[in-house]
Amino acid sequence: MTRAAVALIYRRTDNSGTQLLFIQRARREGDPWSGDMAFPGGRMQPEDASPRATAERETLEETGLDLGRHGRFRARLSDLITRHHSRWRPMVVTPYLYEWKGPKAVTLNHEVEHLVWVPLDFLAAEENQGRRPWRTPLGTLNMPCCRYQDYCIWGLSYSMVQELLAQGLP
């Protein structure tokens, strides 16, 4: 079974708030998740010692944030089962939570269009929850989401945020 891992990264603000990092995936022809909001991460490679190592490697590649040096590992969230967009085989995605203690500078690679820090209070507020239509071969589903500025957080990322909030993390 294919494995993947992502990093949920938060930071404290000067006014005692907390922000959660999202990336907006680069827009690419043929990518069904093109332009979507996500957490940095990706598929596990043979050289990765663990799914957590995958999350750290992918975060460094996609954003330049070095979790090994400036991140404080806080928790492992529940595995989620999905599928890779080009295959029908299941894929397990493991989310890891980190507190960011490093510099604000980022270096985005070709897979990332934008990096956005979203206030955790905003993500938790009921008035910011909504629905996003998602067309499937079986019809249109109205998926739960959170809209922040011009961004829409939905799908696996939304599920991970909901678990984070339900557990009272960070």
Side-chain angles (χ1 to χ4, degrees):
M1 185 177 296
T2 304
R3 290 198 62 97
V6 298
L8 282 71
I9 304 165
Y10 71 93
R11 68 180 181 189
R12 305 286 184 193
T13 62
D14 293 337
N15 62 355
S16 300
T18 302
Q19 297 174 321
L20 191 60
L21 174 107
F22 290 87
I23 60 170
Q24 181 181 31
R25 293 170 52 104
R27 298 179 194 285
R28 292 185 319 176
E29 189 70 33
D31 179 357
W33 316 120
S34 179
D36 279 359
M37 299 302 288
F39 295 111
R43 282 184 285 167
M44 192 170 179
Q45 300 299 318
E47 63 272 12
D48 292 332
S50 66
R52 186 171 150 192
T54 300
E56 293 179 6
R57 175 185 54 77
E58 287 280 347
T59 298
L60 182 61
E61 289 174 6
E62 293 175 359
T63 67
L65 299 178
D66 189 340
L67 293 172
R69 291 184 65 201
H70 302 291
R72 182 173 155 218
F73 174 72
R74 298 299 310 248
R76 177 181 187 240
L77 301 179
S78 300
D79 287 343
L80 296 165
I81 298 178
T82 187
R83 67 175 183 84
H84 188 269
H85 69 268
S86 63
R87 302 181 186 139
W88 284 105
R89 284 188 323 196
M91 179 170 64
V92 175
V93 180
T94 305
Y96 295 93
L97 179 65
Y98 291 85
E99 182 176 10
W100 182 247
K101 295 286 200 175
K104 293 183 179 181
V106 296
T107 307
L108 304 180
N109 76 1
H110 66 281
E111 299 174 75
V112 179
E113 195 166 311
H114 293 103
L115 185 138
V116 181
W117 290 96
V118 180
L120 203 56
D121 289 346
F122 186 94
L123 294 166
E126 185 64 34
E127 63 267 19
N128 300 323
Q129 309 310 304
R131 296 280 175 180
R132 177 195 190 277
W134 183 46
R135 291 195 345 230
T136 74
L138 302 175
T140 300
L141 301 173
N142 286 309
M143 303 295 290
C145 71
C146 180
R147 295 184 187 280
Y148 177 75
Q149 298 175 354
D150 292 332
Y151 304 105
C152 181
I153 299 159
W154 72 289
L156 290 180
S157 299
Y158 184 83
S159 296
M160 292 173 196
V161 169
Q162 294 310 303
E163 180 180 357
L164 183 77
L165 295 170
Q167 290 190 15
L169 298 170

